[in-house]
């Protein structure tokens, strides 16, 4: 059943129509029997009047009368004394009492009455079809309103059921407006008794979810945080051990690399937890993406210089409403990934631009790129292309793009992945919706000045 309201209305209307039909049928039959009795009583009264009235002194039948009702009057010896124009000359019924006979091409209800005082026999007859027509017209006048009132009843039932189910709509609205991190108990004022078990079950489920999320949050945050201390201690001991081991020890170098990788993993886990849209305390403000991109380049410049890579900043100076810390982490992860997986002497480009009112932030490189199949998995946690045996030899934990996805979701942005520079490598674009663009109200002159200023910039490292 797709609609509870539709089910209730159809069921109630069907039951109402069935009851009305049965009641109308019973009423019709009862009314027809009552009408038959009334018509028969009328025939009895007419027969008694004819039997008691004096006969006219005429030898021919009376003038034309109502052809729907006829009469005959016979003497005690069976001689026809008087009849109506449409009555036959022969006696219609010799059997005393009511009966039905055919004559003049119609079916007639007859009554043969014998007056015990005068010995006179009176036969009166009435057409059956006229009796039924008259009775049905009277009965239908009382049945038709019952049928016509059904649409009105349907509208009233619709409104009544809608009012009765309004609490469900209120409950659905409360649940729909709840934020993802709101696990507080819900309350519906004036909720009917039947809805209380549902509300109690939902509140119980919210309570269990809140406890579950809190346990997961504490575990991931506490585990990553607690790991910082022993890692820092290990780094300190490694620094002290360098003086005791021969210069260039391979074991020491490998151990240092692994500890750095572990520290990076812990930091990424903390960032992944902190940037989860459900509980990240975002503080949106007007941010220049170009300025933020310049800071990200400065942050990662040493890594790019170590690999003799060229990193550029191009495009327009655009401003968006966003969280500065989160967008900074997003850019650092994208630039770090591009530098890490681009070959020695490669090229990386950061571009900010406006396309059809949307703001595009793109980090592109001319490295090896990734396959179409891998693009669908790179946002999975701890997934690394090629695992630890990637051709670049770069270490990683597979959380960078998961963090990027969290931050994009926090800003309502979408992620587009295409081929990178010179149709090689990878280009990751963060597309911010037009609603986040904070420079929409710029005048044409202001935009022209911005474009002129942008065209003069040629930042290259």
């Amino acid at each position: 059943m797709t609609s509870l309201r539709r089910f209730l209305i159809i069921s109630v209307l069907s039951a109402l129509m069935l009851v009305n039909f049965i009641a109308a049928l019973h009423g019709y039959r009862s009314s027809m029997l009552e009408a038959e009795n009334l018509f028969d009583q009328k025939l009895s009264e007419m027969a008694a009047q004819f039997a008691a009235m004096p006969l006219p002194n005429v030898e021919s039948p009376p003038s034309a009368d109502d052809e729907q009702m006829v009469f005959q009057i016979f003497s005690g010896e069976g001689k026809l004394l008087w009849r109506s124009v449409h009555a036959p000359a022969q006696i219609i019924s010799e059997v005393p009492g009511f009966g039905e006979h055919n004559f003049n091409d119609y079916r007639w209800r007859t009554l043969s009455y014998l007056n015990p005082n005068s010995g006179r026999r009176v036969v009166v007859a009435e057409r059956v079809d006229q009796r039924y027509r008259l009775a049905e017209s009277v009965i239908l006048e009382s049945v038709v309103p019952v049928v016509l009132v059904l649409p009105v009843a349907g509208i009233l039932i619709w409104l009544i059921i809608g009012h009765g189910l309004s609490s469900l709509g209120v409950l659905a609205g409360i649940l729909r407006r709840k934020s993802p991190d709101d696990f507080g108990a819900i309350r519906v004022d004036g909720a009917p008794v039947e809805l209380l078990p549902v509300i109690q079950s939902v509140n119980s489920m919210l309570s269990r979810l809140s406890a579950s999320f809190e346990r997961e949050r504490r575990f991931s945050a506490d585990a990553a945080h607690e790991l910082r201390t022993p890692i820092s201690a290990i780094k300190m001991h490694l620094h002290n051990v360098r003086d005791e081991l021969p210069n260039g020890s391979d074991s020491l170098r490998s151990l240092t690399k692994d500890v750095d990788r572990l520290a990076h993993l812990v930091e990424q886990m903390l960032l992944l937890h902190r940037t989860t849209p459900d509980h990240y305390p975002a503080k949106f403000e007007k941010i220049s993406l170009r300025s933020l991109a310049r800071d990200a380049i400065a942050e990662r410049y040493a890594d790019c210089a170590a690999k003799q890579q060229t990193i550029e900043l191009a495009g327009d100076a655009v401003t968006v409403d966003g969280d500065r810390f989160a967008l900074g982490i997003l850019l650092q992860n994208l630039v770090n990934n591009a530098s890490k997986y681009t070959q020695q002497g490669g090229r990386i480009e950061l571009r900010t631009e406006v396309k059809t009112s949307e703001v595009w932030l793109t980090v592109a490189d001319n490295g090896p790129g990734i396959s179409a199949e891998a693009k669908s998995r790179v946002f999975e946690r701890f997934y690394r292309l090629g695992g630890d045996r990637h051709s670049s030899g770069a270490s990683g934990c597979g959380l960078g793009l998961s963090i990027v996805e969290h931050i994009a979701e926090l800003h309502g942005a979408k992620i587009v992945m295409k081929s990178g520079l010179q149709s090689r490598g990878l280009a990751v674009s963060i597309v911010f919706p037009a609603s986040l663009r904070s420079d929409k109200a710029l005048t044409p002159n202001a935009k022209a000045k911005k474009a002129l200023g942008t065209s003069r910039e040629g930042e290259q490292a």
Side-chain angles (χ1 to χ4, degrees):
M1 178 57 63
T2 57
S3 172
L4 182 59
R5 172 182 286 191
R6 189 180 300 114
F7 169 75
L8 291 174
I9 290 174
I10 292 175
S11 300
V12 172
L13 274 180
S14 300
L16 184 61
M17 290 178 64
L18 179 61
V19 171
N20 279 343
F21 174 76
I22 296 174
L25 182 61
H26 182 268
Y28 176 81
R29 295 182 62 183
S30 301
S31 299
M32 287 300 293
L33 290 174
E34 186 66 23
E36 284 285 336
N37 294 331
L38 291 175
F39 286 130
D40 288 346
Q41 184 179 354
K42 179 183 176 183
L43 283 180
S44 300
E45 293 173 354
M46 289 183 60
Q49 290 177 0
F50 281 121
M53 68 181 295
L55 296 177
N57 187 17
V58 294
E59 296 181 355
S60 60
S63 58
D65 57 4
D66 187 3
E67 64 177 358
Q68 299 176 6
M69 186 173 291
V70 297
F71 67 89
Q72 295 174 324
I73 302 176
F74 294 89
S75 65
E77 293 79 15
K79 179 182 178 181
L80 179 63
L81 301 177
W82 197 28
R83 68 182 178 89
S84 62
V85 173
H86 296 91
Q90 297 79 16
I91 187 170
I92 297 173
S93 175
E94 296 181 358
V95 179
F98 290 97
E100 291 188 2
H101 295 79
N102 296 326
F103 61 88
N104 293 348
D105 300 325
Y106 289 103
R107 185 75 171 170
W108 299 76
R109 178 70 169 175
T110 62
L111 172 61
S112 180
Y113 173 72
L114 180 62
N115 190 331
N117 298 325
S118 62
R120 193 185 298 172
R121 179 178 294 277
V122 177
V123 180
V124 292
E126 184 180 22
R127 277 172 49 180
V128 173
D129 62 318
Q130 294 298 327
R131 298 180 93 193
Y132 277 107
R133 187 177 294 113
L134 181 59
E136 286 180 347
S137 65
V138 174
I139 295 169
L140 287 177
E141 287 182 359
S142 61
V143 173
V144 168
V146 176
V147 177
L148 295 179
V149 83
L150 284 176
V152 179
I155 296 175
L156 291 176
I157 292 172
W158 173 275
L159 296 175
I160 293 171
I161 291 177
H163 178 72
L165 296 178
S166 60
S167 297
L168 284 176
V170 173
L171 176 60
I174 292 174
L175 292 174
R176 186 165 49 249
R177 290 189 296 270
K178 263 185 171 295
S179 59
D181 58 341
D182 181 10
F183 297 103
I186 60 175
R187 178 181 176 184
V188 180
D189 295 331
V193 177
E194 292 79 6
L195 194 59
L196 291 180
V198 178
I199 297 175
Q200 292 170 358
S201 298
V202 171
N203 286 335
S204 176
M205 181 187 67
L206 289 174
S207 177
R208 293 194 301 271
L209 282 174
S210 176
S212 176
F213 273 91
E214 183 65 19
R215 285 194 299 269
E216 180 184 359
R217 185 186 66 82
R218 287 183 177 179
F219 174 78
S220 58
D222 294 347
H225 186 271
E226 292 300 323
L227 284 173
R228 277 177 162 179
T229 302
I231 290 175
S232 298
I234 293 174
K235 283 187 173 182
M236 183 180 64
H237 290 310
L238 284 175
H239 180 75
N240 295 333
V241 167
R242 285 194 185 97
D243 298 333
E244 303 175 6
L245 294 177
N247 293 333
S249 171
D250 292 338
S251 298
L252 181 60
R253 190 164 40 249
S254 298
L255 184 57
T256 303
K257 182 179 179 182
D258 289 339
V259 171
D260 290 340
R261 180 180 176 184
L262 180 59
H264 175 69
L265 172 61
V266 171
E267 293 298 327
Q268 290 291 80
M269 287 178 64
L270 281 172
L271 284 175
L272 182 69
H273 167 72
R274 289 183 63 184
T275 56
T276 301
D278 291 346
H279 56 258
Y280 181 76
K283 295 181 180 179
F284 279 52
E285 58 180 302
K286 287 183 174 58
I287 297 174
S288 170
L289 284 183
R290 192 173 186 81
S291 176
L292 210 61
R294 189 183 293 112
D295 293 341
I297 291 175
E299 183 78 19
R300 296 293 174 183
Y301 180 77
D303 296 333
C304 296
K307 296 182 69 174
Q308 300 178 350
Q309 294 170 339
T310 301
I311 183 166
E312 302 174 359
L313 177 60
D316 307 321
V318 294
T319 305
V320 297
D321 290 327
D323 184 90
R324 182 176 299 276
F325 173 78
L327 291 178
I329 295 298
L330 177 144
L331 272 166
Q332 288 182 26
N333 274 281
L334 290 178
V335 174
N336 183 47
N337 273 1
S339 175
K340 187 182 295 184
Y341 297 108
T342 299
Q343 69 278 4
Q344 190 87 5
R347 179 169 167 244
I348 303 169
E349 180 184 273
L350 278 70
R351 178 176 291 273
T352 57
E353 56 189 335
V354 177
K355 297 181 181 179
T356 61
S357 298
E358 295 177 327
V359 177
W360 286 59
L361 170 62
T362 303
V363 178
D365 60 62
N366 63 348
I370 60 176
S371 63
E373 180 183 357
K375 287 180 181 179
S376 62
R377 297 196 58 193
V378 292
F379 296 102
E380 296 178 10
R381 297 181 183 183
F382 302 106
Y383 174 79
R384 292 195 68 209
L385 187 65
D388 291 333
R389 300 178 181 178
H390 191 271
S391 58
S392 65
S395 62
C397 59
L399 292 177
L401 288 180
S402 296
I403 296 172
V404 169
E405 184 180 38
H406 278 185
I407 297 173
E409 183 182 347
L410 179 69
H411 289 79
K414 60 183 179 181
I415 302 176
V416 178
M417 304 183 74
K418 297 181 180 179
S419 297
L421 302 175
Q422 303 165 349
S423 300
R424 295 179 54 195
L426 177 66
V428 181
S429 297
I430 310 300
V431 184
F432 298 91
S435 58
L436 288 183
R437 184 182 168 193
S438 61
D439 60 345
K440 292 182 288 185
L442 290 177
T443 62
N445 291 336
K447 290 183 179 180
K449 289 180 180 179
K450 274 199 169 187
L452 181 60
T454 302
S455 65
R456 291 176 178 174
E457 294 187 24
E459 303 178 37
Q460 180 172 338

